[in-house]
Amino acid sequence: MENRRSHSPGRKSSQSPGRGSRSPGRTVATPDRFIPSRMNQDAISVSHAKIMADLTDKDDENVSPSTKASREQMGANLAAAQGMRTDGKIILHYEDKPAPKQGTCSAQLLYQSSSSAKVKKTHVERHIPTSAERVLDAPELMDDFYLNLIDWSSNNHLAIALGGVLYMWNASSGDIQQLFEMEHESSFISSVAWIPDGKYLAVGTSDKEVQLWDVAASKCLRRLKSHNNRVGSLAWNKHILTSGDRCGEIQHHDVRIPEHLTASFKAHSQEVCGLKWSPSGNMLASGGNDNTLLLWPGYNSGGVGFGGGPLHTITEHTAAVKALAWCPFQSHCLASGGGTSDRHIRIWNAQNGRQVSCVDTKSQVCGLLWNETYGELISGHGYAKNQLTIWRYPQLEQVAELTGHTERILYMSLSPDATTVVSGAADETIRLWKCWDVDEAAMKKKLAGAQRSTGSSVKAKAKPSIQARGLR
């Protein structure tokens, strides 16, 4: 399956989770040797069918390239022994620094309804550090492509799930708080998402529920129990919380009312691993392990309406679609990234569902984030280079490549001042990258708005510090 290591969440009472226990259920079975002289033709056919079934493993994104290569070679040997024809997938190769080959599938731009939607550009040369500004040790950070375990709030608090323990890291002061720990040894946190104003945190779990937390009061306000499997994806749209589970079901919860479940529907045939509402709240993008990207309508007459199905069903990706990001400065522009067998970043016009451009990144795409000031996109990657890459939009030209993680990057989030990217990887480290300079005018406007709406302030230039408690 996708997970390459077996871990179980730490259960120490201290605020620093131990490395002694490992996280659950991540082992890969090693196929037996192929010995053609000991098999008759019927046995060969059965073995070939089993191996080809392995190649369509529903947790394909957690399977390493070497395991895939072994399975494909065995399938080819079996097919040859029986005289059958086989069309294998391309096997990825690990290299130190493959020469970047960038290109676009289409040079056209999204349709612009007004001049205010033009892409922002900057001609000022800047230095982009290629190494992390800070490194946090994160023992028991789960190596699972389908989960979403890090989120950065508008109040400059970073929520980090380590196995069954949830931590809050105050990026302004460097203080660390353990918010809670799962009750059962085998349970773990599968997703986290802050409400836009940063007051409440939604937490999805392996116990099929979604918890709502008042972080300032360290209090669980509600437990939403309507899913039938682990909840790996969460997204907020004002007071509506959208959740996706391993069965492919998407649910909408109105957290203001007792009967919270307002809509529930089977969206994907496999696990929902990506959910993002557009900035306007008029459209929802969902990505699944079934390699599909779905675009849904948003609010309609005060509620969430779907008209019996998605607006657009997009099937161009050839691997799981986890990485999703709506452009903050160009309406109806959506970026998506595919898993190991796809490796492409694709830009979509969400109004008509058409692809505008794409680029082959040569790596599994695990996360995407936009920067409005510079008109750029940053991607986080897994197999085979484990890097962050900054792209110039709309050309999708590579601006910089940031390296340091030794295993695949699985989780990403952006600081409230839009200058720093946090990445979490299977190497059990969290790294902070100073990718952009702060836009002073934009931050002053944003801070003034936040103070009017919540009465609180956000420190725009706060630099995270390292503490030897839980994360160090």
Side-chain angles (χ1 to χ4, degrees):
M1 310 302 282
E2 254 199 51
N3 297 325
R4 295 177 293 120
R5 298 181 300 173
S6 179
H7 294 278
S8 66
R11 280 293 177 276
K12 294 191 177 181
S13 59
S14 67
Q15 291 182 328
S16 177
R19 292 180 179 271
S21 59
R22 313 301 289 174
S23 37
R26 295 194 300 277
T27 57
V28 179
T30 303
D32 294 332
R33 293 178 299 154
F34 169 56
I35 309 177
S37 61
R38 297 183 182 179
M39 290 186 177
N40 58 30
Q41 292 299 309
D42 291 337
I44 291 175
S45 299
V46 171
S47 299
H48 179 264
K50 288 182 178 178
I51 289 179
M52 296 312 293
D54 283 342
L55 293 177
T56 58
D57 194 323
K58 69 176 183 178
D59 283 343
D60 189 59
E61 290 307 315
N62 283 335
V63 179
S64 67
S66 59
T67 302
K68 283 188 178 181
S70 175
R71 289 179 179 177
E72 291 170 2
Q73 184 60 50
M74 291 182 65
N77 290 344
L78 286 168
Q82 199 180 17
M84 295 186 296
R85 181 178 178 271
T86 179
D87 296 315
K89 297 180 180 178
I90 298 174
I91 301 171
L92 298 178
H93 298 280
Y94 285 83
E95 300 176 0
D96 291 337
K97 276 192 177 294
K101 296 180 181 179
Q102 297 137 15
T104 59
C105 298
S106 172
Q108 72 181 77
L109 303 181
L110 292 181
Y111 170 77
Q112 303 297 320
S113 58
S114 67
S115 58
S116 61
K118 291 181 180 179
V119 178
K120 295 190 176 183
K121 297 181 180 179
T122 177
H123 300 285
V124 179
E125 293 294 332
R126 74 187 196 275
H127 170 68
I128 304 174
T130 56
S131 58
E133 185 179 52
R134 298 285 188 273
V135 180
L136 308 175
D137 187 25
E140 303 307 323
L141 182 65
M142 294 184 67
D143 179 8
D144 194 321
F145 176 86
Y146 302 105
L147 306 186
N148 294 275
L149 303 181
I150 293 177
D151 199 26
W152 207 328
S153 81
S154 59
N155 291 329
N156 216 16
H157 289 81
L158 192 64
I160 305 169
L162 303 182
V165 186
L166 184 63
Y167 288 92
M168 296 295 116
W169 186 63
N170 187 326
S172 300
S173 66
D175 293 337
I176 296 168
Q177 169 194 2
Q178 178 178 316
L179 188 62
F180 76 93
E181 183 174 358
M182 297 292 290
E183 296 176 1
H184 304 292
E185 183 75 21
S186 59
S187 300
F188 57 91
I189 297 164
S190 49
S191 56
V192 294
W194 288 98
I195 198 168
D197 66 10
K199 295 173 66 175
Y200 304 111
L201 180 70
V203 181
T205 74
S206 62
D207 293 338
K208 313 173 189 178
E209 71 175 10
V210 178
Q211 301 178 13
L212 299 180
W213 281 80
D214 182 335
V215 175
S218 298
K219 181 180 180 181
C220 182
L221 303 176
R222 298 189 69 175
R223 293 175 182 264
L224 313 179
K225 300 181 179 182
S226 50
H227 280 282
N228 295 315
N229 213 313
R230 74 179 187 186
V231 183
S233 299
L234 295 166
W236 285 94
N237 188 354
K238 299 179 181 177
H239 55 274
I240 297 294
L241 175 63
T242 301
S243 54
D245 67 22
R246 196 170 193 174
C247 298
E249 186 174 18
I250 292 177
Q251 297 184 0
H252 298 284
H253 315 268
D254 188 335
V255 300
R256 304 170 300 174
I257 58 179
E259 298 298 325
H260 59 87
L261 186 61
T262 60
S264 178
F265 50 96
K266 180 75 170 179
H268 294 268
S269 61
Q270 296 184 35
E271 183 161 13
V272 180
C273 47
L275 279 176
K276 293 291 180 182
W277 280 100
S278 64
S280 65
N282 293 327
M283 194 172 291
L284 173 71
S286 66
N289 194 34
D290 55 4
N291 306 348
T292 61
L293 168 61
L294 303 179
L295 301 179
W296 307 86
Y299 288 104
N300 181 19
S301 302
V304 179
F306 291 92
L311 292 172
H312 303 291
T313 298
I314 297 170
T315 58
E316 274 79 355
H317 283 291
T318 57
V321 183
K322 175 186 180 182
L324 298 171
W326 290 93
C327 181
F329 53 83
Q330 194 172 42
S331 61
H332 307 296
C333 175
L334 173 69
S336 63
T340 308
S341 299
D342 183 85
R343 307 183 301 275
H344 281 75
I345 295 173
R346 303 176 188 273
I347 308 297
W348 307 95
N349 183 333
Q351 284 185 311
N352 56 29
R354 294 178 181 174
Q355 180 173 285
V356 175
S357 59
C358 70
V359 61
D360 186 353
T361 69
K362 311 300 181 185
S363 300
Q364 177 188 46
V365 184
C366 302
L368 290 168
L369 297 168
W370 288 92
N371 178 272
E372 183 173 2
T373 303
Y374 287 87
E376 292 176 345
L377 184 68
I378 186 168
S379 54
H381 297 275
Y383 310 125
K385 295 174 66 179
N386 312 316
Q387 86 281 10
L388 290 163
T389 304
I390 299 176
W391 307 89
R392 182 176 293 108
Y393 178 80
Q395 301 92 337
L396 292 182
E397 296 175 348
Q398 183 172 309
V399 175
E401 189 171 273
L402 316 179
T403 58
H405 283 293
T406 58
E407 295 189 45
R408 61 179 180 167
I409 297 170
L410 294 163
Y411 317 110
M412 293 173 62
S413 192
L414 186 65
S415 65
D417 64 3
T419 66
T420 303
V421 172
V422 61
S423 61
D427 58 12
E428 297 187 334
T429 67
I430 292 171
R431 296 170 188 258
L432 293 101
W433 313 81
K434 188 73 170 181
C435 300
W436 301 284
D437 294 326
V438 69
D439 185 336
E440 297 288 353
M443 277 308 300
K444 286 180 180 179
K445 184 177 179 181
K446 184 175 181 179
L447 286 170
Q451 289 172 353
R452 285 194 300 269
S453 60
T454 67
S456 61
S457 62
V458 180
K459 294 185 179 181
K461 290 188 174 181
K463 290 187 177 181
S465 61
I466 307 302
Q467 299 288 324
R469 297 164 52 210
L471 301 170
R472 61 184 188 277

